[in-house]
Amino acid sequence: MTLDISAAPIASDTTDHAPPARRPRSTVGRDLSASLVVFLIAVPFSLGIALATGAPLMAGLISAAVGGIVAGLLGGTSLQVSGPSAALPVITAGLISHYGWQATCAITLAAGLLQLLLGARGLARTALAVSPAVVHGMLAGVGLAIAIAQLHVVLGGSPQSSALANLAALPGQVGVAHPPALLVGALAVAILCGWPRLGRLPGRAGELGTRLASIPAPLVAITAATALSLSLNLRLARVDLPAWQPQSLPQLPHGSIAGVLTAVLTVTAVASVESLLSAVAVDRMAQRSGDLDRELRGQGLANIAVGLFGGLPVAGGAVRGTANVRAGARTRWSSVLHGVWVLLAAVALTGGLRRIPLAALAALVLVVGLQMVSLAHIRRVHQHREFPVYLVTVLGVVLLGVLAGVALGATIAILLALHRLTRAHVDVTAGPDGSFAVQTHGPLTFAAVPRLSRALAGIPLTARVTVCHDGSFLDHAAYEALHAWRSGHQAAGGQVVMVTEPQDDTVLDPDGALRSGSSPGPHRCRAWTPWVGHHCIEQQEDPHNRLLDGIRVFQQHTAPLVRPELARLAREGQTPSQLFLTCADSRLVTSMITNSGPGDLFTVRNIGNLVPAPFEPGAADDSVAAAVQYAVEVLEVRSITICGHSGCGAMKALLDGVHERPGPPTALARWLRNGRGSLDRLHRAPAGFADRAVVDPAEQLCITNVVQQLDQLLANPAVERRVNEGTLRLVGMYFDFATAQTYVLDRTSCLFAPVTERDATPAEAAA
């Protein structure tokens, strides 16, 4: 969920660690500080959502207060902050116009009861079975519909009843735009878009901008727009916020039972999906594990309460949850306190809130709506070849409404999945000796029989044929077609060998024989086994010939398997999520220890996994800085890992003082000077292991060097800016060759904890 106007993509990699911890504070102090930050975001956001739905503006504050207190106390994700749903304004506006406000409150209450029932039955994870392309398409469509409607308010007019009507009326509204409203709205939009980027300014201006950017952009935008309107004495529509008073009880909606049930199910589905997806994202960001069923029950109780008290439908959202985590919240009390502050503001600060121009609130919601169209999600959906589903859902939501758009998108997703499940590829290749190899990929069903029959019919009758199936599903029709062809081919004098594509250690030799416990090529090593020193290789063999042998094995066996993926990467370019900086040591195979493949890691290797400090005399090097800058600013990676290893020759050379020997320094000596900070840290604050003692001084320096290089990495302005924004995480890692064990750094304790097979998160490993 990306509903946050300043939120960054949330890394899903379980080995990420937060930036270096600030000075320790009490849990109470952190929760209190975080609650105030979230409160400053929630008040203008809640008023803006209420404005977008056409509900009483007080309803937005009621939802924020009740959602924060009830869902905060009873929900299953401790750092999630609930409030008025950002995905429901279009639906809620339609319900209000059709049934009226009090009946809409009754629908919200019924949706809460249904959420409570679903959570009690343990069905929360069922909501996560929806295709991400449909979910993000729905959010993008809702965001566009909201933005188009609120643009009318920014121009000084009123929104129409539907997105199509708003689009049709937009040219006329532009012609009669109200200049004061446009001025206030433009100022709010400019601040909302520019405020988070203040930290990117060069030099000291960037340092000051980073401090200013810590103030929530919505608060600054609304405050500045209100101050401008008051100082110029502009005549504008302002917040119509009555004094706090008890709300009327909800009333049963009038209309068909089917229509009311559809409304309840729609509110339940959208609010539940938004809350649960946000809960998963917040848990990943905070490196915690929540209870989704309890979270759904908490959301249900919150919606029951807001239905009774006259509030908008409640959901957990990334706007508040992300801000809560970044502000340093530790427990659920930050959410509860935020709700208390909103409640006090609704009771005591109505006079100040009435001064806010509606155009400023509309500008806030407009920007939030546009940012619900996430380019990162579009790229990810495109990579998974689900863009048609996304596009159909977006257009359906904008043109037909949320229900019809989601139903249309889900239908396309199902049809696309069925197409992929029934689509098989059949490749026929001719060998130099006149033999043929038939390779099938994907499930062979009745739908693939025509394609399979055409491919087999083109093979000469007397040829020797090896048919290799990849082990996927083979239905009865395909089985009959394949074996009928084999019988006919053999009757004509041909030879047929039928095998299943090898799994694990079973491989197919070039001559077609099935061989177990070995691999193809000039030797019996697996692809990742080192050549030099292996028992099956002659040590006197020319290294160049060994290299060519390995390339031939790749071309024959691996290239056909990875060619489609590499072709996709060639078309779309690289979009790695991580920069992996490690040593050039030949024993360290990054793809093996990270289980990664093409396009996953942007890798930088050098002697000693060093990051030259930019102002270190006689030791600076631009190649690493250039790679880091490219990864951070162009590729926009979300994490940077520095990985050291045992037995590092560079660390041994540092301990031996190679970099300080008299005489003209060699290139190696100059490079090793980038590790002097690690030597200093070794004497001041050496790193250690959480589960064992350090073996020797060399290993102590190896792990201490990782910590030091992370600090030197922060001296890069691009890295520092992204870390301060919360959009980049730094990870320290260490690999021990003798035990094939990977360790991850806990920045708080400066200890390396082992990553085990059953670990779900680094926090569990550190514990």
Side-chain angles (χ1 to χ4, degrees), residues 208-551:
L208 177 61
T210 300
R211 297 191 185 97
L212 291 175
S214 62
I215 304 174
L219 176 66
V220 178
I222 298 300
T223 302
T226 304
L228 176 66
S229 67
L230 293 176
S231 63
L232 298 181
N233 197 24
L234 300 178
R235 292 187 176 182
L236 291 167
R238 299 183 186 272
V239 169
D240 181 15
L241 196 65
W244 179 272
Q245 57 185 3
Q247 302 295 310
S248 301
L249 292 175
Q251 297 179 355
L252 292 176
H254 298 287
S256 66
I257 296 178
V260 174
L261 288 177
T262 300
V264 172
L265 291 174
T266 302
V267 173
T268 302
V270 175
S272 300
V273 170
E274 181 184 3
S275 298
L276 295 174
L277 291 178
S278 296
V280 172
V282 169
D283 276 339
R284 285 178 179 173
M285 189 177 185
Q287 296 181 349
R288 300 189 179 193
S289 179
D291 184 341
L292 293 183
D293 289 314
R294 178 181 173 184
E295 178 65 25
L296 188 57
R297 294 194 296 271
Q299 296 294 331
L301 291 171
N303 275 313
I304 292 172
V306 296
L308 290 172
F309 295 139
L312 293 168
V314 162
V319 177
R320 300 167 292 266
T322 301
N324 195 37
V325 174
R326 289 181 181 169
R330 290 293 180 267
T331 70
R332 64 180 65 248
W333 287 104
S334 60
S335 173
V336 176
L337 288 174
H338 132 271
V340 172
W341 308 144
V342 173
L343 181 62
L344 292 177
V347 174
L349 300 180
T350 54
L353 297 176
R354 290 192 190 103
R355 300 176 183 271
I356 299 176
L358 292 183
L361 289 179
L364 168 62
V365 180
L366 184 150
V367 172
V368 172
L370 290 178
Q371 292 186 339
M372 290 168 71
V373 185
S374 168
L375 293 179
H377 285 146
I378 292 176
R379 286 195 296 267
R380 195 171 301 119
V381 165
H382 181 67
Q383 290 171 0
H384 290 277
R385 297 180 298 166
E386 292 187 335
F387 184 73
V389 178
Y390 178 89
L391 182 61
V392 168
T393 306
V394 171
L395 294 177
V397 169
V398 172
L399 300 178
L400 305 175
V402 176
L403 269 184
V406 169
L408 194 58
T411 301
I412 299 299
I414 292 172
L415 292 176
L416 188 61
L418 290 175
H419 171 72
R420 289 173 179 168
L421 286 174
T422 57
R423 183 170 179 81
H425 295 277
V426 182
D427 299 320
V428 179
T429 56
D433 57 351
S435 64
F436 285 80
V438 179
Q439 177 75 52
T440 65
H441 305 280
L444 284 179
T445 65
F446 65 91
V449 168
R451 186 180 304 108
L452 177 64
S453 299
R454 282 193 299 269
L456 296 176
I459 300 175
L461 292 178
T462 58
R464 182 179 185 275
V465 183
T466 300
V467 180
C468 182
H469 182 47
D470 66 0
S472 299
F473 177 71
L474 182 72
D475 77 353
H476 185 254
Y479 175 85
E480 290 290 345
L482 196 56
H483 284 266
W485 169 83
R486 182 182 66 173
S487 299
H489 191 80
Q490 290 174 335
Q495 297 181 10
V496 179
V497 177
M498 302 185 71
V499 297
T500 300
E501 187 170 88
Q503 305 291 332
D504 302 325
D505 290 345
T506 304
V507 301
L508 189 66
D509 275 344
D511 61 1
L514 199 61
R515 189 155 52 93
S516 179
S518 59
S519 63
H523 53 76
R524 296 165 60 90
C525 307
R526 292 181 175 87
W528 44 260
T529 307
W531 293 321
V532 178
H534 198 279
H535 64 85
C536 69
I537 298 177
E538 295 293 337
Q539 295 302 302
Q540 291 77 20
E541 184 183 345
D542 184 359
H544 179 66
N545 290 337
R546 292 202 301 271
L547 182 65
L548 289 179
D549 286 340
I551 294 173

Side-chain angles (χ1 to χ4, degrees), residues 193-212:
C193 295
W195 194 259
R197 293 174 171 81
L198 291 178
R200 302 183 183 181
L201 297 174
R204 293 186 176 179
E207 297 178 3
L208 177 61
T210 300
R211 297 191 185 97
L212 291 175

Side-chain angles (χ1 to χ4, degrees), residues 737-750:
F737 289 126
T739 59
Q741 177 64 59
T742 303
Y743 296 82
V744 175
L745 173 65
D746 180 354
R747 300 294 299 278
T748 303
S749 63
C750 206

